[in-house]
Amino acid sequence: MQPWKTDKWFTSPWNFDPEATANLNFADKILLHDVTLRDGEQQAGIVFTKDDKIAIAEQLAELGVHRIEAGMPAVSDQDRQAVYEIAKRNLGPEIYSFARCTKGDVDLALDCGCKGIVCEIPCSEHSIINAYRWPVEKAIQQSIDVTNYAHEKGLRVVFFTIDCTRADPVWFINTVKRIGAEGHMDALTLADTVGGLNPHGAYTLVKTMKKHVDVPIEVHFHDDFGMGAANTVFGLAAGAEVAHTCITGIGERAGNTPYEDLVMTLLCTYNIDLGLNTNKMRETAKLMQKLSGLTERCNRPIIGDSIFHVESGIVASWVKNLKSSMLGSYGPELVGHDPISIRMGKKAGAPNIEMWLERMGRPMPDKDTVKLILNDVKDYAFEVGRELTEDEFVAIVEKY
C-alpha cells in the first residue's frame, strides 16, 4: 500500500513525488475552526434560530471539528443565547465567540462562557479609510486596547485581520508587529475577505508572516474564484496551523472554504488526517441544507447527491469489471454515501442493462435482445427527457 492507494482511496503518485513535496511545511497538528454559525450565516437569506445553531454545533461535534465559532452575540438576543447554550454544553470542540474590536463585545463573549474570542478589525488602509471611514491610527490603537483587555479577562485572543490580503505588504507586516508588541494576540488570522488570493499568493503570505510573528497562523479564505480550499491547502502547506472552514462552503458572495473539500484533499492527496469522522460529512451537509433552506448542486464534490450515480455505459462497465465501489478517487462509504448506483437512461450501455437485470433477479437475454432493450431505453429517455424508473424499465423488458 502507498499513500496514494489505500483500501479507501486511490489518487495519484504524482502528489507524492519528491519534487512536489519538497517545499511543503505542514504543521504537525492542524485544527479546523468552523465558521458556519457566524460567517456561513452571513449568506443572504439564511436565518439560523438558536435551536438550529445548537443542532449544527452538536453535529459538528460528532463530526470531530476541533473548534466552533458559535456566533456573534452582539447580533441579536437569539445569537447571544445560542452562543451561551453551545458553550454551556461542553460538546467537545473549543467554543469561540466572534467579536468586533470593542470591549463590549469582549464582555459578551465572557458572559457566554467562551474560552476564546476572534477579534476582528479592518487591516488594509483601503478598508479602514474607505469602508469604515476611520483614521488608520484608530484601528491600530483600538486593536491594541481591546486585545489587551480580552487577554486580561482570560480569553484566548485570535486577532482577525479583515481584508489583509489587499493591504500594502510592508504596512501590514509593520502594523501586525506593532499590535503584537503593544497589544496581545495568541494567534493571527489572515483573512482573504474578498477572495482575491491565488494558491501561490496564499503560500507566500503565510510563509512571510511566519517570519514576522511567533504565534500560530490561522487562514480564513473565501471562495470568490472557486479557490478557497486550494488557497487554504497552500496556506497550510506554508505552515499555518488552523484553517477556517464552513459546512458546504456557505457564506456571503461565493462563500467560505468548504471543509469537505479541504479535509478530503488533505486526507487523500497529502496523506494528512485531521481526525474527522468523514463518514458523517453527507449527514452534516443534509442537516445544514434542511435548516438553511438551501439546495446543493447534485454533483457537488464530496456531498452531492449524484456523485456516485453512473449512467454512462462505459463507466458502468468499469464498475461491473472492477467489482468495487472504488470507482473514483475515493469510495462512497468514506464520506457517508450509499454504494455506487447504476442508472438507466440515454447514456446507458449493455452493462447497465445486464446489471439491472441481475439485481432484479431476471433471466439474462442474449446479446441481440440486450441491444433491442437498450435501444428502447434510449428512445424512451429522449421521449421523457430524464432517467428511467425501475417500473418503466421493466415495462420495456417485458416486451421481449
Side-chain angles (χ1 to χ4, degrees):
M1 305 295 279
Q2 301 288 347
W4 61 86
K5 187 177 183 182
T6 75
D7 60 346
K8 295 182 179 179
W9 61 83
F10 184 2
T11 54
S12 172
W14 289 101
N15 299 330
F16 299 91
D17 184 276
E19 188 172 342
T21 60
N23 296 312
L24 303 183
N25 295 292
F26 288 103
D28 292 336
K29 185 176 183 181
I30 295 171
L31 302 180
L32 280 192
H33 174 95
D34 187 273
V35 299
T36 303
L37 301 180
R38 195 274 307 174
D39 207 350
E41 193 191 20
Q42 284 184 209
Q43 181 168 335
I46 293 180
V47 177
F48 289 138
T49 66
K50 179 185 77 171
D51 290 341
D52 291 342
K53 291 196 171 192
I54 293 169
I56 292 171
E58 290 174 340
Q59 182 66 31
L60 288 168
E62 286 189 31
L63 185 66
V65 165
H66 312 108
R67 288 180 4 193
I68 297 174
E69 191 176 294
M72 187 172 180
V75 169
S76 70
D77 189 54
Q78 275 220 32
D79 284 272
R80 181 189 62 76
Q81 292 177 36
V83 176
Y84 174 80
E85 286 294 332
I86 291 168
K88 184 177 74 173
R89 290 175 185 236
N90 294 317
L91 298 173
E94 292 184 340
I95 305 302
Y96 279 61
S97 171
F98 193 80
R100 298 162 296 183
C101 228
T102 68
K103 292 181 179 179
D105 279 15
V106 173
D107 290 336
L108 282 172
L110 288 165
D111 292 343
C112 289
C114 295
K115 293 183 178 180
I117 190 169
V118 178
C119 198
E120 69 161 352
I121 200 79
C123 277
S124 72
E125 291 178 293
H126 168 80
S127 291
I128 295 169
I129 296 169
N130 298 313
Y132 283 71
R133 301 293 178 93
W134 289 356
V136 171
E137 183 61 25
K138 174 183 176 179
I140 296 172
Q141 194 58 54
Q142 198 162 312
S143 300
I144 293 168
D145 293 344
V146 175
T147 56
N148 276 325
Y149 179 74
H151 175 61
E152 291 164 4
K153 293 293 184 178
L155 289 168
R156 186 175 186 277
V157 182
V158 177
F159 185 59
F160 187 96
T161 56
I162 298 174
D163 199 31
C164 76
T165 59
R166 296 196 297 176
D168 174 80
V170 173
W171 177 88
F172 177 65
I173 290 167
N174 290 336
T175 299
V176 167
K177 289 170 72 173
R178 178 183 168 189
I179 294 168
E182 298 178 29
H184 181 87
M185 62 178 77
D186 294 298
L188 171 67
T189 298
L190 303 173
D192 187 28
T193 303
V194 297
L197 275 179
N198 69 24
H200 299 90
Y203 183 94
T204 304
L205 169 63
V206 172
K207 184 178 179 181
T208 301
M209 294 310 296
K210 295 287 284 186
K211 297 175 183 176
H212 293 283
V213 298
D214 58 2
V215 298
I217 298 287
E218 309 194 358
V219 288
H220 180 105
F221 295 158
H222 283 256
D223 206 31
D224 292 68
F225 287 98
M227 294 192 295
N231 289 345
T232 301
V233 168
F234 270 63
L236 294 172
E241 291 90 344
V242 180
H244 289 208
T245 59
C246 252
I247 300 171
T248 72
I250 63 171
E252 210 155 32
R253 300 186 322 279
N256 293 268
T257 295
Y259 88 90
E260 303 92 348
D261 299 11
L262 177 67
V263 169
M264 291 299 293
T265 297
L266 290 175
L267 179 63
C268 301
T269 71
Y270 290 89
N271 201 30
I272 296 173
D273 188 350
L274 300 192
L276 269 68
N277 299 315
T278 57
N279 60 0
K280 290 189 175 292
M281 283 184 166
R282 192 156 181 259
E283 173 186 317
T284 303
K286 290 298 181 186
L287 174 65
M288 190 283 297
Q289 290 166 16
K290 175 184 175 183
L291 297 178
S292 67
L294 297 177
T295 56
E296 192 67 68
R297 83 173 204 254
C298 64
N299 65 337
R300 165 78 167 81
I302 317 298
I303 51 90
D305 286 343
S306 71
I307 60 172
F308 292 103
H309 292 179
V310 172
E311 184 183 334
S312 164
I314 189 168
V315 181
S317 73
W318 301 347
V319 176
K320 182 181 179 183
N321 295 337
L322 286 168
K323 300 187 183 302
S324 166
S325 63
M326 185 90 67
L327 173 66
S329 293
Y330 53 88
E333 65 284 346
L334 183 59
V335 290
H337 275 272
D338 293 330
I340 288 175
S341 173
I342 302 299
R343 318 297 280 193
M344 192 63 64
K346 176 241 175 180
K347 284 87 67 182
N352 304 60
I353 305 296
E354 293 163 1
M355 293 169 78
W356 271 47
L357 290 172
E358 183 179 356
R359 176 174 58 80
M360 296 163 63
R362 286 178 169 259
M364 194 64 61
D366 58 58
K367 289 184 178 180
D368 289 340
T369 305
V370 167
K371 187 174 181 180
L372 291 171
I373 293 171
L374 180 59
N375 287 337
D376 282 0
V377 164
K378 291 177 180 291
D379 288 343
Y380 190 80
F382 271 114
E383 181 183 334
V384 297
R386 56 168 170 77
E387 295 177 349
L388 277 67
T389 67
E390 187 167 306
D391 287 343
E392 289 167 338
F393 176 72
V394 168
I396 289 173
V397 169
E398 289 185 344
K399 289 168 52 181
Y400 300 94

